[in-house]
Amino acid sequence: MKQFLTVYGAEPDGVWAAPGRVNLIGEHTDYNDGFVLPFALPQRTVVAASRVDTPEWTVWSEQADERITFDLSEHVSGWGAYVAGVVWALREAGHQVPGARMAITSDVPLGAGLSSSAALESAVLTALVDLGGLDLPVDQRPRLAQRAENEYAGIPTGIMDQSASIRCRAGHALFLDCRSLEVEHIPFDVAAAGLAVLIVDTKAPHRHVTSEYAARRATCEEAARALDVQALRDATLSMVSGLADPVQRRRARHVVTEDQRVLDTVELLRQGRVREIGPLMTASHASMRDDFEITVPEVDTAVEGALSGGAYGARMTGGGFGGCVLALVDADATDKVAATVASAFADRGFTPPEPFVAVPGPGATRL
Ligand code: GLA
């Protein structure tokens, strides 16, 4: 990577990359021990790194346009927390983490709900594991990256994003059981079905994402306690309908129905019935809008615009309160659907959205 040479005046020992993700379906199910079905984006974070002999890490980020240095005595904040958090989590797990110099570039859009932070954590983790020759099997890495995010950076997310960034395969969606962490790679070759996945970055400003996310998570945990189950994954719709608190009831209904939609989507994909997942996507959106209440006018408008432009299904992806919508469309209809969404945005006076077509890419790897 030429930036490493410019910043450090030497070639790196190696270059690693980890992608952002979109979630095809299964939102806010991960921290309820449920099911998710993300796939990796071609957009990724690239880390060029060299080992150094002191327990010190120097990290330059192109996106932040900043170079930071930290050692084991300090707590790093800002974007560097995702890097220092990985060093911390590896050490907590008993690994001898090598000191390193790193240069980081990324084309994962920031703050768009495409897991730029998980891409950063996963790329740094993969680089440090390789550089240090650490014995850390791939299936154990997402948990560690999640600890960096939860316990070091202080963001209470689930396991989906780091799992997607580390474990996805090109041409496949990752069917993840968030309780057992078992995965199955589900072929998701939309092109072969004459289809495409159109992602629309709504550019909606994220509003109170972290506090609203934490509130949703807390309500789900309260609902599980009220139902006397380990997690909402273990609840049924009839149990949920007996919940006394109407907010808990709506939130839990979203989680229980969403888990089922993931299973139904996986079943359809296994049978090659790609187009038929559209209605499940749209139902997932309605559930996020009405029961989980995590959508905003921009994402609702993008979904309605995509559907009226001919999409088979559309839904918001990610934590909510802004971010991206994904739509399943005919391969030759991407421009038309994008135009319908853009004109719906113009009618409402929203900032123009940014559409792009996504093909499932590979997970974290050494380049
Ligand atoms: C964010 C979190 C994930 C997951 C999604 C919602 O992306 O990082 O763990 O909870 O929101 O599905």
Side-chain angles (χ1 to χ4, degrees):
M1 183 210 269
K2 65 176 187 314
Q3 290 94 333
F4 188 95
L5 184 61
T6 313
V7 175
Y8 298 110
E11 292 292 344
D13 292 347
V15 182
W16 293 262
R21 63 98 188 92
V22 286
N23 188 17
L24 186 52
I25 197 159
E27 226 63 79
H28 287 261
T29 46
D30 60 354
Y31 55 79
N32 289 299
D33 277 5
F35 306 105
V36 294
L37 191 61
F39 66 85
L41 286 169
Q43 286 89 339
R44 58 193 190 175
T45 296
V46 177
V47 175
S50 283
R51 201 182 163 127
V52 299
D53 291 332
T54 46
E56 199 174 72
W57 294 267
T58 303
V59 193
W60 171 83
S61 155
E62 182 177 56
Q63 267 172 319
D65 190 21
E66 191 186 6
R67 174 160 140 179
I68 59 167
T69 299
F70 61 91
D71 61 24
L72 296 170
S73 68
E74 48 205 314
H75 189 98
V76 181
S77 53
W79 64 272
Y82 298 106
V83 180
V86 167
V87 172
W88 171 85
L90 278 167
R91 288 179 52 86
E92 282 285 301
H95 296 286
Q96 290 288 329
V97 188
R101 299 196 296 197
M102 302 178 227
I104 302 178
T105 63
S106 181
D107 61 356
V108 184
L110 286 178
L114 299 175
S115 294
S116 54
S117 56
L120 175 55
E121 291 152 4
S122 304
V124 168
L125 179 70
T126 310
L128 290 175
V129 165
D130 269 10
L131 270 184
L134 309 182
D135 180 17
L136 184 61
V138 170
D139 60 354
Q140 291 173 22
R141 296 181 190 184
R143 232 352 141 212
L144 232 133
Q146 186 199 13
R147 279 198 79 189
E149 176 128 6
N150 290 174
E151 293 174 49
Y152 194 94
I155 321 280
T157 54
I159 189 79
M160 169 169 72
D161 304 342
Q162 293 80 9
S163 300
S165 188
I166 290 170
R167 305 194 68 183
C168 276
R169 278 194 196 152
H172 293 74
L174 183 81
F175 176 35
L176 172 69
D177 178 333
C178 299
R179 172 170 279 166
S180 68
L181 297 187
E182 257 170 54
V183 303
E184 184 184 339
H185 299 279
I186 306 289
F188 188 51
D189 186 353
V190 281
L195 299 169
V197 175
L198 180 71
I199 314 278
V200 179
D201 182 351
T202 65
K203 300 274 168 187
H206 272 75
R207 304 157 180 112
H208 315 296
V209 204
T210 309
S211 59
E212 291 286 353
Y213 185 95
R216 292 304 179 284
R217 189 167 178 162
T219 305
C220 288
E221 285 160 6
E222 284 156 20
R225 272 195 297 277
L227 292 172
D228 200 22
V229 290
Q230 191 188 330
L232 286 182
R233 189 265 184 68
D234 306 307
T236 62
L237 264 189
S238 77
M239 290 163 76
V240 165
S241 64
L243 278 167
D245 179 90
V247 176
Q248 283 183 16
R249 207 157 57 223
R250 286 203 303 279
R251 303 295 187 256
R253 185 166 59 196
H254 164 74
V255 173
V256 170
T257 57
E258 185 78 349
D259 271 336
Q260 188 59 48
R261 282 186 289 269
V262 176
L263 299 176
D264 294 346
T265 301
V266 166
E267 198 43 49
L268 286 170
L269 290 180
R270 281 197 188 112
Q271 297 173 22
R273 293 157 66 186
V274 184
R275 190 164 293 142
E276 290 171 60
I277 72 171
L280 292 166
M281 296 168 68
T282 306
S284 165
H285 187 80
S287 179
M288 291 191 283
R289 184 190 57 213
D290 303 336
D291 278 350
F292 220 63
E293 296 178 279
I294 52 170
T295 70
V296 293
E298 288 89 341
V299 304
D300 292 335
T301 301
V303 165
E304 285 154 25
L307 293 172
S308 70
Y312 294 103
R315 62 183 292 279
M316 185 189 75
T317 184
F321 306 99
C324 289
V325 157
L326 80 160
L328 186 68
V329 304
D330 278 325
D332 58 6
T334 53
D335 288 349
K336 177 173 165 249
V337 175
T340 318
V341 175
S343 97
F345 268 52
D347 287 348
R348 309 235 2 213
F350 296 152
T351 304
E354 245 175 59
F356 63 94
V357 171
V359 179
T365 178
R366 184 173 189 149
L367 298 182

